[in-house]
Amino acid sequence: KTMSRVDKKLDGLQSSAATIDAQMAKYRDINAQTDKAAHALGVSAFTQLIVSLVVMVVAVGGAFVNFHLIALPMSEMVGSGGVLAGNFKTSEIAALVIILVEASMGLFVMETLGITHLFPPIANLEDRMRRRLLWTSATLLVILAIVEAALALMRDVLIADKQALIQSLATVPHTAVLNEGWLSGLPTAGQMLLGFILPFALAFVAIPLESLIHSLRTVGGIVVLAFIRFVAFVLRLLGHFARHGSRVLLSLYDIAIVLPLLVEKAGRRMIPTSRPVISAIDVEEARRAS
């Protein structure tokens, strides 16, 4: 039995040693800056970037739903008449601030738990201080979730009051019969549950955000390098076109100037002169000689 246990442990040790050897081989390739290691790092960064972007898009969708869930009741709390920036109302900006505060509290919770490492000073805190920060952030997050659940309930009440007012002002009486049973409370309960859960869901945005930041740095460097290489290729191509184009223009000029030079040379032979005349053909021959 002892030998069988030793055999199992040795097998586990060999598998672990093989994994360590593979990781060390990758580390040596990275230090040697080989093309294979650079390609592997680039592919890994692109994969992390795509996955992080997908998760961030889902988180933005949740934040959008959360925003519309609390925007209407916030207009009753802070007023709907004020406009701060452009067409944004005060209530909309207040709802957006609440969502951002929830995301910040979730980020602090993840940092104090050691899941993310976006803020090194938080990781360097003492355990006692970090636990205090954890409990403070978690408490604020729970309070904000309860506030959102209350705002969701308030939103349902406001919508019901608005519908009742519209029905009371309508000329034709409303003939539909409302269901006063327990099913009528399901939408309200669902909105309250959604308003309570969404802040905790937004708290996990810190994980894909950290992956997005780290992968974006590598992918951004690759994209910038590819853009610089593309610009260098275009400039080199333009340089080749300019050089060979100038040669073609010189050849065309030589072809076009042949007939006038022949006419001038024939005229010089027919008309004798006593003084030397510097003609265009002499200039052209001097240019060719130089």
Side-chain angles (χ1 to χ4, degrees):
K1 290 181 179 179
T2 304
M3 291 301 297
S4 63
R5 288 197 299 266
V6 171
D7 188 40
K8 291 181 181 179
K9 290 182 179 180
L10 287 177
D11 291 337
L13 181 61
Q14 288 179 357
S15 61
S16 300
T19 304
I20 294 173
D21 290 339
Q23 297 297 330
M24 288 302 298
K26 293 180 181 179
Y27 179 71
R28 294 190 189 96
D29 291 337
I30 293 173
N31 281 335
Q33 297 181 357
T34 59
D35 295 336
K36 181 181 178 181
H39 178 72
L41 290 176
V43 172
S44 177
F46 271 104
T47 304
Q48 290 183 2
L49 180 64
I50 293 174
V51 174
S52 302
L53 283 177
V54 171
V55 178
M56 290 297 296
V57 168
V58 175
V60 169
F64 182 76
V65 174
N66 197 3
F67 173 78
H68 283 279
L69 190 64
I70 65 176
L72 180 61
M74 286 299 295
S75 63
E76 298 295 329
M77 296 178 60
V78 300
S80 60
V83 178
L84 293 181
N87 295 326
F88 292 99
K89 298 180 181 179
T90 308
S91 58
E92 295 177 350
I93 296 179
L96 183 61
V97 169
I98 289 179
I99 295 174
L100 293 178
V101 170
E102 291 171 354
S104 301
M105 293 300 105
L107 178 61
F108 289 146
V109 169
M110 294 298 168
E111 285 288 327
T112 51
L113 289 175
I115 299 176
T116 58
H117 301 85
L118 290 174
F119 300 101
I122 296 179
N124 295 329
L125 290 175
E126 298 179 355
D127 293 339
R128 184 178 180 182
M129 184 62 67
R130 193 163 56 183
R131 282 195 298 269
R132 289 180 180 178
L133 183 60
L134 171 63
W135 285 108
T136 303
S137 303
T139 303
L140 291 176
L141 186 60
V142 172
I143 292 174
L144 289 174
I146 295 174
V147 170
E148 279 209 13
L151 289 175
L153 176 62
M154 184 178 177
R155 179 179 183 274
D156 190 69
V157 173
L158 290 174
I159 292 176
D161 292 341
K162 185 177 180 180
Q163 290 179 353
L165 179 61
I166 293 175
Q167 292 177 8
S168 63
L169 295 177
T171 56
V172 180
H174 195 268
T175 57
V177 179
L178 297 177
N179 187 9
E180 298 296 339
W182 63 273
L183 292 177
S184 61
L186 286 180
T188 303
Q191 290 182 6
M192 292 181 63
L193 183 63
L194 191 63
F196 185 79
I197 291 177
L198 282 177
F200 295 100
L202 290 177
F204 291 94
V205 177
I207 300 175
L209 180 62
E210 182 183 22
S211 179
L212 178 66
I213 292 174
H214 290 304
S215 60
L216 188 61
R217 180 178 58 184
T218 304
V219 174
I222 295 174
V223 171
V224 171
L225 181 61
F227 177 74
I228 292 174
R229 288 178 176 176
F230 175 75
V231 172
F233 171 75
V234 172
L235 293 177
R236 191 181 298 112
L237 187 63
L238 292 176
H240 284 295
F241 273 119
R243 184 175 62 183
H244 294 290
S246 63
R247 293 178 179 177
V248 171
L249 290 177
L250 287 176
S251 301
L252 293 176
Y253 173 76
D254 292 337
I255 294 173
I257 203 66
V258 166
L259 185 60
L261 291 176
L262 292 176
V263 173
E264 182 183 2
K265 190 173 182 180
R268 286 181 59 190
R269 291 176 180 178
M270 294 176 62
I271 302 175
T273 180
S274 59
R275 60 180 182 178
V277 178
I278 300 175
S279 61
I281 189 170
D282 298 329
V283 175
E284 181 64 22
E285 290 177 355
R287 183 183 69 82
R288 289 180 176 276
S290 61

